[in-house]
Amino acid sequence: MESPPVYRAGFVAVMGRPNVGKSTLVNALLKQKVAAVSPRPQTTRRRQLGILTTAQVQLIFIDTPGLHQPRHKLGEKMNQEARSALEHVDLVLFVVDASTPPTDEDHLIAEVLRPLKRPNKTLLVLNKSDRIAAHDLPAMEAAYQALLPGAALLSISATQGDRLEALLEWLLASLPENEPFYPEDQITDLFERDIAADLVREACLNLLRDEVPHGIVVRIDEFTERGDQGAFIVATLFVERESHKGIVIGQNGAMLKKIGSLARHEIETMSGRKVFLQLNVKVRKNWRDDEKALRGLGFGG
Ligand SMILES: Nc1nc2c(ncn2[C@@H]2O[C@H](COP(=O)(O)OP(=O)(O)OP(=O)(O)O)[C@@H](O)[C@H]2O)c(=O)[nH]1
Ligand SMILES: [Mg+2]
């Protein structure tokens, strides 16, 4: 008699320096956008789950803020968030950028991962392999393998969808037997309003330059359902300085309008319904270094 098929489920920490494509990878595996993505580093500020459930397996990805050299208290908290994701996980994806050799930050992360002493539980993921010529890839793979000699290694492209099947196969083969931890229709642990706040910030990261978007935090003040008219959302963008306020609003409000329409489009795509979005801008001086302000904005610890 055939034994009944086993169900596998577990937690997978997605670690790496900023901007290597961790959130893009989680969205690609889920085939649905749950995490904000942008071309700028430090897009992800908190841990966020992306949950993939099939008939045989439940993979719970923990997307983390990129580990980096912090320059303010917010950065320190983001690093803590990322490191604490390593507690009680079954597997680790160490995501790196295949188009550039290992950086100091990659070395630092490897040092964090090396003492875990479970090399078979860590997969080195060389993402963005679409940005390197095929004949240069083996040398790059060797350079990254040297960071974590015992770990398995796979080159992928999250944006092109290359080798994601192989990545899922590795995860499936390495996961322990478990019953599912989350209901099958749950895809993340964030509420829709939190994702909406992140998508507003994502729009800021895409449209504003230099330090301005990094000094923005978004608070959702109102999120109400209006039946056929969709969702009514009011949000405040807090900036660090008076001078940033003018930049975010722009001439005759043009920049804020652009941010609003880009964010609205993303929120509508994410939630599958119409959205009315109203944005306000306020100054909260140096909030990134203000312990109380950080706590009020949900960066506890
Ligand atoms: N060419 C290419 N670009 C990619 C790939 N994966 C991600 N990117 C791009 O890399 C940039 C950063 O992606 P994110 O997913 O925000 O990176 P992250 O690692 O989550 O960054 P943080 O949240 O800041 O730590 C975005 O512009 C993505 O479109 C890939 O496979 N190929
Ligand atoms: Mg991210």
Side-chain angles (χ1 to χ4, degrees), residues 37-56:
V37 165
S38 93
R40 287 165 197 281
Q42 291 160 38
T43 299
T44 304
R45 283 180 176 163
R46 311 164 204 266
R47 264 177 301 167
Q48 177 181 3
L49 300 185
I51 307 167
L52 178 65
T53 307
T54 71
Q56 300 87 34

Side-chain angles (χ1 to χ4, degrees), residues 17-24 36-44 63-66 127-128 130-131 156-160:
R17 66 181 170 83
N19 216 38
V20 291
K22 299 178 293 299
S23 302
T24 307
V37 165
S38 93
R40 287 165 197 281
Q42 291 160 38
T43 299
T44 304
D63 186 12
T64 64
N127 188 33
K128 307 197 186 184
D130 57 291
R131 293 181 57 188
I156 65 154
S157 167
T159 48
Q160 308 295 309

Side-chain angles (χ1 to χ4, degrees), residues 194-255:
D194 300 315
I195 301 177
D198 259 359
L199 293 175
V200 173
R201 210 165 51 79
E202 179 192 74
C204 295
L205 283 159
N206 279 306
L207 292 169
L208 298 163
R209 282 186 316 205
D210 304 325
E211 205 49 23
V212 181
H214 293 295
I216 292 176
V217 62
V218 179
R219 187 184 69 194
I220 303 290
D221 302 315
E222 189 180 340
F223 195 123
T224 27
E225 296 299 336
R226 289 197 171 168
D228 287 349
Q229 289 172 47
F232 178 78
I233 307 173
V234 182
T236 302
L237 281 65
F238 289 102
V239 295
E240 280 186 317
R241 285 182 224 152
E242 203 61 51
S243 61
H244 289 184
K245 189 174 168 181
I247 297 170
V248 172
I249 294 172
Q251 202 123 48
N252 299 321
M255 180 50 83

Side-chain angles (χ1 to χ4, degrees), residues 110-122:
E111 266 165 43
V112 174
L113 296 180
R114 230 175 277 135
L116 294 180
K117 292 208 174 66
R118 293 184 304 167
N120 57 330
K121 299 291 180 194
T122 302

